[in-house]
Amino acid sequence: MYDLAIIGGGPGGLTAGIYSGRARLKTTVIDKGLPGGQMQNTLEIENYPGYKVITGPQLSELMYEHMLEFGAEWRQAEAVGVDLSDRIKTVTLNDGSSVNARALIIATGAQPRKLNVPGELEFAGRGVSYCATCDGAFFRNKEVVVVGGGDSAVEEGVFLTRFASQVTIIHRRDQLRAAPILQERAFANPKIRVIWNTVAEEIIGEAKVSKVKIRNVNTGVVSDLDAEGVFIYIGYLPNTEFLQGTGLLNPNGYVETDSTMATKVPGVYAIGDVRAAALRQIVTAAGDGALAAMSVYHFLESW
Ligand code: NAP
């Protein structure tokens, strides 16, 4: 029996683990993957205060070691369900075992949204990717397409110019959503071009991707674009499948909380990308984690 079970070990979960360990709460952090979550797929982080530049895996490792130092435990397993009906909460794991805790923090983050066009699933791992850091190097001197217009699309598009001969960003509007500093970098990079008002309709190839069928949303004109890689960055979906039926989710599938990170179920909190919030950054996930752990501490004082 734990004081606190944290589901998800990204920057939010690891920070909550640091704070709850310091508060001497018996804590377990449950994650199906490596510590750090999506940070593991980010080559360079340049907006985490104190580090002008640090790699995602390095920051993950530092946060993980920091958490272990204060006594929180790490458990590698996937949470497949929760029972929130009793005072003691139960998390069911994919190995059939379960974890009991007096409080829960949900920190399961989000995963890349799919385009849902023909060819996307078929060519996953054969030209279609959601992670430039993982797969960019396979596209040395090749032409690649990036779909999307947010921070991820533009930042990863610039990263891909290290390898690719040309990076074509396809965006459905005539204006990028990405932060101005990222846009400046993209527009200054001779290897990047943007095709505006355009969507990807199909990913085409034989053994591997060779073309993307694109459509101009204003004119309706359809054409084929040569590309060996297609990187899809059109936002994220919260990892909340295991919370269906709990009443914690809003219509978009995010967990609703108040400003103390509390959900509507007493003793259950949510932080980071899985939470309905205006900003999704490493630093905001970490801030959420600190706040939630302290909220748990106060909740357990009168348990
Ligand atoms: P995002 O901000 O939600 O942007 C998604 C982009 O994809 C938008 O440009 C959107 O177009 C487009 N899009 C959505 N659905 C589409 C579809 N079906 N077909 C074509 N295009 C579609 O997602 P993100 O860029 O992955 O960023 C997620 C969060 O992480 C954001 O809060 C972002 O600020 C943050 N982030 C920050 C950094 C950083 O600070 N360096 C880096 C990466 C991510 P519209 O513009 O028309 O909506």
Side-chain angles (χ1 to χ4, degrees), residues 47 149-152 155 171-173 177 234-236 280-281:
N47 52 5
D151 285 346
S152 301
E155 191 167 69
H171 185 39
R172 63 183 178 183
R173 291 189 293 135
R177 178 181 294 281
I234 58 165
Y236 289 83
R280 296 199 170 87
Q281 299 278 307

Side-chain angles (χ1 to χ4, degrees), residues 76-98:
Q76 189 153 13
E78 182 176 1
V80 293
V82 288
D83 183 348
L84 310 180
S85 55
D86 288 333
R87 217 164 148 230
I88 293 174
K89 316 297 177 217
T90 304
V91 184
T92 311
L93 305 179
N94 59 337
D95 59 11
S97 66
S98 57

Side-chain angles (χ1 to χ4, degrees), residues 202-221:
E202 186 179 349
I203 297 163
I204 301 165
E206 287 187 4
K208 292 178 179 171
V209 170
S210 60
K211 285 182 174 46
V212 183
K213 183 179 279 183
I214 58 173
R215 180 173 55 84
N216 183 299
V217 293
N218 293 337
T219 62
V221 171

Side-chain angles (χ1 to χ4, degrees), residues 44 46-47 149-159 169 176-189 192 194 281:
E44 282 179 358
E46 60 168 27
N47 52 5
D151 285 346
S152 301
V154 175
E155 191 167 69
E156 301 303 324
V158 171
F159 170 71
I169 298 177
L176 295 171
R177 178 181 294 281
I181 188 172
L182 299 176
Q183 296 197 31
E184 282 164 22
R185 275 180 212 161
F187 293 135
N189 191 314
I192 291 195
V194 183
Q281 299 278 307

Side-chain angles (χ1 to χ4, degrees), residues 15-294:
T15 305
I18 291 169
Y19 276 75
S20 67
R22 286 189 80 237
R24 297 291 177 248
L25 300 179
K26 188 170 186 243
T27 303
T28 182
V29 181
I30 301 161
D31 196 297
K32 64 178 178 180
L34 291 172
Q38 291 184 78
M39 291 197 297
Q40 287 285 354
N41 297 335
T42 307
L43 190 69
E44 282 179 358
I45 294 164
E46 60 168 27
N47 52 5
Y48 192 75
Y51 297 98
K52 282 189 189 162
V53 182
I54 186 166
T55 74
Q58 271 175 329
L59 187 56
S60 302
E61 183 64 22
L62 287 169
M63 285 190 188
Y64 174 63
E65 283 169 8
H66 197 166
M67 181 205 77
L68 292 180
E69 237 164 65
F70 284 118
E73 297 171 14
W74 176 265
R75 175 145 182 191
Q76 189 153 13
E78 182 176 1
V80 293
V82 288
D83 183 348
L84 310 180
S85 55
D86 288 333
R87 217 164 148 230
I88 293 174
K89 316 297 177 217
T90 304
V91 184
T92 311
L93 305 179
N94 59 337
D95 59 11
S97 66
S98 57
V99 169
N100 292 322
R102 296 195 289 158
L104 279 189
I105 294 178
I106 297 158
T108 43
Q111 60 178 299
R113 185 195 293 275
K114 305 280 185 295
L115 260 181
N116 292 323
V117 297
E120 182 179 19
L121 280 184
E122 294 87 318
F123 293 111
R126 293 188 291 138
V128 172
S129 172
Y130 305 87
C131 178
T133 309
C134 319
D135 301 327
F138 297 122
F139 298 91
R140 210 172 283 278
N141 300 322
K142 295 183 172 156
E143 292 182 23
V144 303
V145 162
V146 173
V147 184
D151 285 346
S152 301
V154 175
E155 191 167 69
E156 301 303 324
V158 171
F159 170 71
L160 284 166
T161 62
R162 294 184 192 195
F163 311 103
S165 53
Q166 178 157 56
V167 176
T168 304
I169 298 177
I170 297 175
H171 185 39
R172 63 183 178 183
R173 291 189 293 135
D174 61 0
Q175 210 181 346
L176 295 171
R177 178 181 294 281
I181 188 172
L182 299 176
Q183 296 197 31
E184 282 164 22
R185 275 180 212 161
F187 293 135
N189 191 314
K191 281 189 175 179
I192 291 195
R193 65 169 171 162
V194 183
I195 302 186
W196 304 104
N197 302 308
T198 297
V199 292
E201 285 206 319
E202 186 179 349
I203 297 163
I204 301 165
E206 287 187 4
K208 292 178 179 171
V209 170
S210 60
K211 285 182 174 46
V212 183
K213 183 179 279 183
I214 58 173
R215 180 173 55 84
N216 183 299
V217 293
N218 293 337
T219 62
V221 171
V222 173
S223 54
D224 283 349
L225 197 62
D226 287 338
E228 292 187 50
V230 184
F231 288 83
I232 299 168
Y233 283 107
I234 58 165
Y236 289 83
L237 291 174
N239 293 320
T240 49
E241 197 92 315
F242 71 108
L243 298 174
Q244 296 298 330
T246 56
L248 296 179
L249 307 181
N250 71 14
N252 295 325
Y254 289 89
V255 184
E256 290 282 355
T257 68
D258 66 14
S259 60
T260 70
M261 305 297 124
T263 69
K264 62 182 172 191
V265 177
V268 180
Y269 301 77
I271 60 175
D273 283 6
V274 79
R275 187 172 83 82
L279 188 61
R280 296 199 170 87
Q281 299 278 307
I282 298 168
V283 69
T284 53
D288 284 2
L291 195 49
M294 287 300 94

